[in-house]
Amino acid sequence: DYKGRRMAGDISKHAEELVRKVDEALGKDKGAREVAIDLNGETFHASTHNTSLSLFVMFHSPSCSACARLYTDFEAVARTFKGLPDVAVAKLNVDTFPEAAEKYAKYGIPSFVLFGKADRFFGFKPREVVYADFRVAAAMVKFLNRKCAVKQKLARVPGMLEMTAGMEEQITGGQ
């Protein structure tokens, strides 16, 4: 939140600083991103208002056991989309930024929201799409591929759940 003077030069410098912080958080200085980006209040606002980026955010808390179970799958999603110039995967700790929890995680955590880049169908305004499908990496990748018009293959990481985990066919061998 800007608290400086209402001079064009001051506001412009503040905006440039926010963009620099977002670029740093997104790993643009270091090359391809390795894992989900950790956002804070400042980088969250700047990232979600970036009209050239589709940003998939997990709203979580370190004390949430359901969130902890999803970290491995969410890391796999982040690895799947690393290096793409217009798609990023991030997480935001709602304990440190409760304003985001009030707006985007009002039904509980973990919550997932895709902040889509602007396009002609949405009047060139960023849009928000709540993810409400299966909470496994394969389903999240399928959702992001469809919404972001990309074709990424799931990057597997140790400990990741399979889409069919616990289904009868897997247990009985299809018999």
Side-chain angles (χ1 to χ4, degrees):
D1 294 312
Y2 181 69
K3 297 187 185 337
R5 299 182 303 167
R6 295 191 182 269
M7 304 294 291
D10 294 338
I11 294 170
S12 177
K13 284 181 187 174
H14 178 71
E16 287 172 9
E17 178 63 19
L18 284 177
V19 168
R20 186 193 62 73
K21 286 181 180 179
V22 169
D23 284 347
E24 188 176 286
L26 294 176
K28 288 189 177 175
D29 294 335
K30 300 173 225 151
R33 297 181 293 279
E34 300 255 334
V35 293
I37 303 154
D38 282 312
L39 297 175
N40 60 35
E42 242 179 46
T43 56
F44 173 73
H45 283 302
S47 300
T48 57
H49 289 89
N50 181 345
T51 58
S52 65
L53 178 72
S54 290
L55 180 69
F56 188 55
V57 180
M58 175 185 188
F59 296 89
H60 73 99
S61 171
S63 61
C64 167
S65 61
C67 300
R69 286 191 298 273
L70 290 172
Y71 288 146
T72 303
D73 277 40
F74 198 70
E75 181 180 321
V77 173
R79 288 179 188 274
T80 299
F81 291 92
K82 76 176 182 182
L84 291 183
D86 56 352
V87 180
V89 177
K91 57 189 176 189
L92 179 71
N93 181 347
V94 297
D95 295 341
T96 60
F97 192 53
E99 296 87 5
E102 291 172 16
K103 185 169 183 181
Y104 299 106
K106 55 187 164 195
Y107 299 112
I109 53 174
S111 289
F112 302 89
V113 178
L114 173 64
F115 297 90
K117 64 182 180 179
D119 61 27
R120 61 189 170 96
F121 298 109
F122 290 91
F124 295 97
K125 294 179 192 168
R127 64 188 189 279
E128 302 161 7
V129 179
V130 175
Y131 175 78
D133 205 343
F134 292 108
R135 293 183 175 201
V136 293
M140 291 181 202
V141 168
K142 183 177 179 182
F143 168 80
L144 289 173
N145 279 337
R146 189 175 67 248
K147 294 292 184 183
C148 301
V150 294
K151 293 182 179 177
Q152 295 298 104
K153 291 197 184 254
L154 178 61
R156 303 230 174 255
V157 295
M160 187 176 75
L161 292 175
E162 294 295 327
M163 183 101 167
T164 57
M167 293 184 158
E168 183 179 349
E169 184 176 305
Q170 185 182 16
I171 294 167
T172 63
Q175 299 173 354

